[in-house]
Amino acid sequence: MLVAAAVCPCPPLLVPEVAAGAAPELDAARTACSAALGVLTAARPDRLVVVGPAGQAGRGPYPEGTRGAFHGFGVDLAVRLGRGGADAPSDRALPPSLAVGAWLLERAGWSAAPVEGLGVGEPLTAERCGEAGQEIGAAAGRVALLVMGDASACRTLKAPGYLDERAAPFDAAVARALGTADVAALRALDARLAYELKASGRAPWQVLAGAAEDAGLTGALLYEDAPYGVGYVVATWS
């Protein structure tokens, strides 16, 4: 049964070593993520699943102990998913979104429950995402989710996807749905529009919607902004 969820953005820039001189610009987002993880700890889960967007090669489950790194961003920094479990083979590294999630957990000193990861293919349909979430929500024991993903990347002229007038309304709808734990609204997100706006969080958010279908959780919006023209949202469901 799903007892709590935290929604966080997944840009590698959340990691100060990656952001370097720009690190202070995301301090508010980091603070909100820490508060969101506190909600997960307070829920006393038996199991934590970190869900995040992944490319074709990064899909599927990741057991506790799987390692990730930020070498591709010019930083000699490695992370590990959870504190238990044996190290996974080196050829099965965490995708960037789950590496950021692992970093957030390490930063918070997470020890409340075993951790596993789930990389979700960004093209996955809403129906398939919902089914994956339902499997998580139907599992025995108290389950919590850490859901990683960004909103649109088209909020300004300098954004990675350039300016798109549809981006701000899309992000506002996402923030509203995540902040109110609106399962139906998340299910209804337009996958094509999300793709066109480069919103990597669409599939993970719809996994959350499936997991929370019968959980009766209440949402709270902790942070919503668009630094660098990319929409970042932090929310909790409990």
Side-chain angles (χ1 to χ4, degrees):
M1 178 180 69
L2 185 70
V3 296
V7 177
C8 294
C10 61
L13 287 174
L14 268 183
V15 180
E17 290 88 341
V18 174
E25 296 179 27
L26 289 179
D27 279 347
R30 294 184 193 97
T31 298
C33 289
S34 295
L37 290 181
V39 170
L40 296 186
T41 300
R44 304 189 307 281
D46 301 315
R47 170 187 172 215
L48 174 67
V49 182
V50 185
V51 182
Q56 182 70 32
R59 297 182 186 181
Y62 292 86
E64 187 164 39
T66 305
R67 292 186 177 274
F70 297 95
H71 301 153
F73 302 96
V75 175
D76 186 16
L77 176 66
V79 292
R80 190 173 188 270
L81 193 62
R83 295 187 173 185
D87 285 343
S90 58
D91 62 348
R92 184 60 173 162
L94 296 172
S97 66
L98 298 188
V100 174
W103 177 82
L104 286 173
L105 292 170
E106 288 188 2
R107 181 172 181 259
W110 177 267
S111 61
V115 183
E116 60 192 85
L118 177 63
V120 183
E122 292 185 52
L124 204 63
T125 65
E127 182 180 7
R128 292 290 302 278
C129 291
E131 291 171 355
Q134 288 168 359
E135 290 183 10
I136 295 172
R142 299 171 61 83
V143 181
L145 285 178
L146 172 56
V147 184
M148 309 298 296
D150 301 339
S152 76
C154 303
R155 291 280 291 273
T156 67
L157 292 173
K158 294 184 178 181
Y162 196 66
L163 177 64
D164 190 313
E165 293 181 354
R166 301 171 296 172
F170 177 88
D171 288 358
V174 165
R176 184 165 55 251
L178 292 173
T180 60
D182 190 335
V183 169
L186 291 179
R187 280 181 173 172
L189 289 176
D190 187 322
R192 179 177 292 277
L193 177 60
Y195 174 78
E196 291 175 354
L197 296 176
K198 304 183 183 300
S200 69
R202 190 275 307 173
W205 299 331
Q206 290 182 328
V207 171
L208 168 61
E213 186 174 39
D214 300 313
L217 302 181
T218 299
L221 184 64
L222 305 187
Y223 175 88
E224 193 276 322
D225 202 355
Y228 315 115
V230 181
Y232 299 146
V233 178
V234 180
T236 58
W237 293 20
S238 60

